[in-house]
Amino acid sequence: MTKSKPWISLSGIGLFAVLLLAVAPLVLTDHWLNNLGKYCCWAIAAVGIGLAWGRGGMLVMGQGVFFALGAYSMAMHLTLETAGDRIPGFMVLYDPLAPLPVFWEPFRSTGFTLLAIVLLPVLLASSLGYALFKRRVKGAYFAILTQALAVALATLISSTIRETGGDTGLSDFKYFFGFVLNDPANKRMVYLIAAALLIVCLFAVWQLYRSRFGELLVATRDAEERVRFLGYDPANVKLVAFVVSALMASIGGAMFVPIVGIITPAEIGAAASILMIAGVAFGGRASLFGPALGAIAVGWGQSSLGSTWPDGWTYILGLLFIVVILFLPNGLSSLPARFTAARRSPDRQPAPAIVAAELEEARP
Amino acid sequence: MTDASLVVTDLHVEFSGFVAVGGVSFDAHPGEVRFLIGPNGAGKTTCIDAITGLTRATGSARLGGKELLGRPVHKIVRLGVGRTFQTASVFDELTVLQNLDIAAGRHRRSASLLRARRGTDGSIEQALEETGLAGEFATPSGILSHGQKQWLEIAMLLVQDAKVLLLDEPVAGMSQDERTATGELLQRIAAKRIVLVVEHDMDFMRRFATRVTVLHQGRVLSQGAVAEVQADPKVQEVYLGTAGAATTAAMSVVPEAAAGTHQRKED
Ligand SMILES: Nc1ncnc2c1ncn2[C@@H]1O[C@H](COP(=O)(O)OP(=O)(O)O)[C@@H](O)[C@H]1O
Ligand SMILES: [Mg+2]
């Protein structure tokens, strides 16, 4: 479970950092660098999902909600920054004389916006998690509940077109905290920020996984009752993982906005939330790098195949998902271990470690 | 004497009308290996579930004068009550050392949880020695033998510094040698702690019990020293007249599903 040699994981993170921060800007075109930035945002959310789902056993099907908190906080700030003293353009379209909605006003402030990106997901995840985990809501019920929340938020945003931009979303941002977003150099800087944040998140979960908390989290995932009988409250253990994963989703969402230049309910709803999960399952939910690599792979597939052959891409993704679940329940990152295990003892199956956890989850 | 004792008075547990435990009273003190025996379905496990807060119960269960009933599970644990389950439940994916480390952790500050483990607590080393698991500290506990898992559970209670150890059929499925080793282990650790063993193996009980309470259909049938209980005609009747037959019957019984899952057989 725990790596006996921490430097292997650390140098993995180091290699990842070199590739993302030094190599990628040198070899990729502006267009693809920007795309990679977008995948990094999903990867940041995916790292959080790996923590909550892979290590904590909580199937978080509604991370779009927290992604949205970060994304819309950032988008409101950038919209106001672009509009200057005037009311944002899309609002004027519906009612030229109406004032700015009150909840927009504080997002003029840079400090408030940054604080909101951090505090909103923490507050929502804490109260939601507290209510759910103390009542011992888990497994499928937890998954459905979080998913429903993502659907509800997407619907709310769709239906409040004057306040939030509705289905068309928020877009046409000209500035990012004073930097002109049209400038390729600034775009590159935004990419570097997202990539650096991904590295920071990886480092954070690396430390969490090797800490005593990480061991306790796995223990809670595998035998929650037993943990309770050791004097811990499993609800608190899960709460910490859930809140951290929500924060990461929010950070991913916040960086998504200046990189992609638009945020709509489609990016945060049920389908988007499931796509985030898909990347994590694909890469290997319980491993350190699996979630991030899986998210980047799925993102890349979406922009390369998805743009040339959108219908086919959906089917390919579905098929891939089925194949991974059937043959590689621990994701692609379990391939090397599987390979060596098979070579060492060809007749012995590798220990079905994750199966027990899955059964645990399936139970209400 | 009572300030360190476990005193259960008129314990009562009902499952939607079915009385599983109907007014059970007993006490247990440090220094004795206390046994709770009875045929399958007598309500032994339910008694432990009630004391540890897993099952709602009426009556009273006091530890050193503090009422346990009505508190949440983890609070009862923090008062010093530890238990094992009928089916060994250790954290299979973690090593023996990691299992013990988690058990030792409830005394630690939350902030220290964020650091990786450096070195081993003294209490952990002691428990490893005590239970004979010192050679297995790096083994993933999922691949331990059945007996070793039970010992690991006992070791976890030791590092947890439990004042009360409630052990649900700790020797079920063990070989004769393992049973003897477990019995001797229990006698050693009982010197300073309250040890309550649920069992239906009469032979094991006879060898290691100091005092015994016999349950039958949710009620106390008999109580006292081993010899007294064995001489009790009511007990002989329940156990088909001969203890030997009961032992044979008990040996063939497969442990039920873990108590935590609430999946019980009606028997
Ligand atoms: N959660 C439950 N719901 C309904 N009945 C239960 C439950 N737990 C135990 N029982 C019943 O209570 C009685 C006592 O069970 P138990 O305490 O497990 O017996 P023992 O441990 O002595 O074999 C049995 O008849 C059992 O079927
Ligand atoms: Mg039982």
Side-chain angles (χ1 to χ4, degrees):
Chain A
M1 189 83 252
T2 43
K3 298 274 187 314
S4 45
K5 300 179 193 78
W7 56 267
I8 291 188
S9 300
L10 261 191
S11 42
I13 296 177
L15 180 68
F16 213 55
V18 170
L19 285 178
L20 282 183
L21 297 174
V23 179
L26 284 181
V27 299
L28 292 183
T29 62
D30 282 347
H31 171 73
W32 276 105
L33 195 67
N34 200 51
N35 272 347
L36 184 60
K38 178 165 73 172
Y39 315 151
C40 282
C41 296
W42 282 324
I44 292 172
V47 170
I49 294 174
L51 174 68
W53 183 36
R55 297 285 167 131
M58 295 162 269
L59 184 44
V60 282
M61 295 263 272
Q63 289 303 85
V65 171
F66 304 112
F67 197 82
L69 289 181
Y72 274 90
S73 295
M74 180 66 89
M76 284 195 280
H77 177 71
L78 298 192
T79 302
L80 289 172
E81 201 182 345
T82 306
D85 293 334
R86 283 165 302 147
I87 302 283
F90 77 91
M91 290 181 183
V92 181
L93 220 57
Y94 300 107
D95 182 358
L97 296 175
L100 194 67
V102 270
F103 70 92
W104 275 72
E105 203 57 59
F107 285 95
R108 281 192 193 284
S109 144
T110 305
F112 181 88
T113 304
L114 294 179
L115 215 62
I117 290 167
V118 173
L119 285 187
L120 286 181
V122 168
L123 289 178
L124 179 64
S126 315
S127 38
L128 183 69
Y130 187 85
L132 293 180
F133 300 140
K134 288 283 178 190
R135 282 182 182 73
R136 306 195 190 171
V137 176
K138 50 187 150 186
Y141 295 96
F142 179 81
I144 292 168
L145 225 143
T146 50
Q147 171 92 96
L149 223 59
V151 175
L153 184 61
T155 311
L156 178 71
I157 294 175
S158 295
S159 62
T160 50
I161 188 157
R162 201 203 157 272
E163 288 83 10
T164 64
D167 281 327
T168 29
L170 298 175
S171 57
D172 300 323
F173 316 113
K174 296 218 163 54
Y175 307 101
F176 174 72
F177 300 105
F179 294 94
V180 182
L181 273 174
N182 257 340
D183 186 340
N186 289 342
K187 271 271 182 195
R188 192 162 291 212
M189 174 196 73
V190 175
Y191 159 80
L192 286 175
I193 295 175
L197 283 170
L198 173 58
I199 301 298
V200 169
C201 288
L202 276 174
F203 187 77
V205 292
W206 171 76
Q207 176 58 26
L208 274 182
Y209 287 173
R210 66 194 283 270
S211 72
R212 287 183 150 125
F213 173 81
E215 293 173 356
L216 189 57
L217 186 63
V218 169
T220 306
R221 176 193 74 191
D222 291 346
E224 187 169 332
E225 257 344 285
R226 192 74 186 83
V227 167
R228 205 186 299 284
F229 279 102
L230 291 174
Y232 300 95
D233 189 349
N236 295 341
V237 179
K238 290 160 91 171
L239 194 60
V240 171
F242 184 54
V243 169
V244 172
S245 84
L247 174 60
M248 288 183 179
S250 178
I251 292 173
M255 290 314 296
F256 185 87
V257 166
I259 288 177
V260 181
I262 177 169
I263 183 75
T264 68
E267 301 286 359
I268 63 118
S273 298
I274 288 175
L275 211 62
M276 293 182 202
I277 292 269
V280 175
F282 182 59
R285 59 185 178 177
S287 68
L288 179 61
F289 296 105
L293 292 176
I296 291 176
V298 168
W300 175 73
Q302 198 175 18
S303 30
S304 52
L305 261 179
S307 56
T308 51
W309 191 30
D311 296 339
W313 159 243
T314 318
Y315 289 117
I316 289 176
L317 189 67
L319 192 70
L320 212 70
F321 204 62
I322 292 170
V323 168
V324 168
I325 296 279
L326 277 184
F327 299 106
L328 276 177
N330 292 341
L332 284 184
S333 60
S334 67
L335 257 184
R338 233 173 204 245
F339 187 65
T340 46
R343 257 208 325 213
R344 241 177 255 147
S345 54
D347 49 358
R348 250 188 59 196
Q349 286 283 318
I354 219 76
V355 173
E358 258 159 5
L359 290 176
E360 188 75 27
E361 265 167 35
R363 220 161 28 211
Chain B
M1 187 170 79
T2 47
D3 38 277
S5 304
L6 175 69
V7 182
V8 175
T9 322
D10 199 24
L11 193 68
H12 206 94
V13 181
E14 256 183 50
F15 295 111
S16 45
F18 170 74
V19 180
V21 175
V24 167
S25 304
F26 62 87
D27 51 20
H29 315 290
E32 59 174 355
V33 182
R34 191 75 166 80
F35 270 68
L36 198 58
I37 64 165
N40 233 330
K44 307 179 296 291
T45 300
T46 307
C47 279
I48 292 194
D49 288 354
I51 295 169
T52 53
L54 194 60
T55 300
R56 207 180 288 271
T58 56
S60 150
R62 289 171 171 275
L63 175 64
K66 281 212 183 84
E67 182 60 55
L68 301 177
L69 300 190
R71 293 181 201 253
V73 167
H74 63 278
K75 296 258 167 73
I76 295 178
V77 175
R78 287 177 196 171
L79 289 175
V81 180
R83 74 170 290 178
T84 63
F85 291 94
Q86 242 167 291
T87 311
S89 64
V90 293
F91 308 119
D92 286 351
E93 272 198 37
L94 303 180
T95 65
V96 168
L97 180 60
Q98 286 172 326
N99 268 273
L100 291 172
D101 192 68
I102 287 177
R106 84 184 164 94
H107 300 294
R108 289 192 197 108
R109 292 160 177 282
S110 320
S112 79
L113 281 177
L114 294 178
R115 286 198 298 270
R117 182 170 7 80
R118 295 194 196 87
T120 322
D121 289 13
S123 67
I124 292 181
E125 266 163 25
Q126 223 175 328
L128 281 170
E129 289 299 329
E130 186 80 85
T131 52
L133 289 172
E136 306 284 353
F137 73 96
T139 312
S141 57
I143 63 172
L144 292 177
S145 75
H146 176 73
Q148 286 173 320
K149 280 187 189 173
Q150 293 282 2
W151 292 333
L152 175 55
E153 284 212 88
I154 294 174
M156 285 164 83
L157 295 180
L158 293 180
V159 296
Q160 195 183 325
D161 203 17
K163 289 187 229 140
V164 183
L165 285 77
L166 307 171
L167 310 175
D168 201 351
E169 307 200 8
V171 297
M174 279 190 184
S175 70
Q176 204 55 45
D177 288 347
E178 287 175 327
R179 279 165 194 253
T180 307
T182 308
E184 285 163 359
L185 169 66
L186 294 183
Q187 283 178 332
R188 281 199 304 276
I189 62 181
K192 287 191 217 125
R193 303 177 184 83
I194 299 169
V195 174
L196 178 72
V197 184
V198 162
E199 210 25 271
H200 50 198
D201 177 352
M202 292 290 271
D203 184 49
F204 182 71
M205 184 274 288
R206 232 181 285 123
R207 285 170 64 201
F208 296 105
T210 40
R211 277 196 311 146
V212 187
T213 296
V214 185
L215 288 190
H216 183 53
Q217 294 177 348
R219 291 179 187 281
V220 175
L221 191 67
S222 179
Q223 196 147 220
V226 178
E228 286 166 35
V229 165
Q230 274 190 300
D232 191 330
K234 284 181 292 182
V235 176
Q236 288 173 356
E237 193 184 321
V238 168
Y239 276 93
L240 308 167
T242 64
T247 309
T248 333
M251 298 276 278
S252 62
V253 172
V254 181
E256 294 159 33
T261 61
H262 291 277
Q263 290 170 335
R264 302 287 186 73
K265 280 182 296 235
E266 288 288 338
D267 42 28

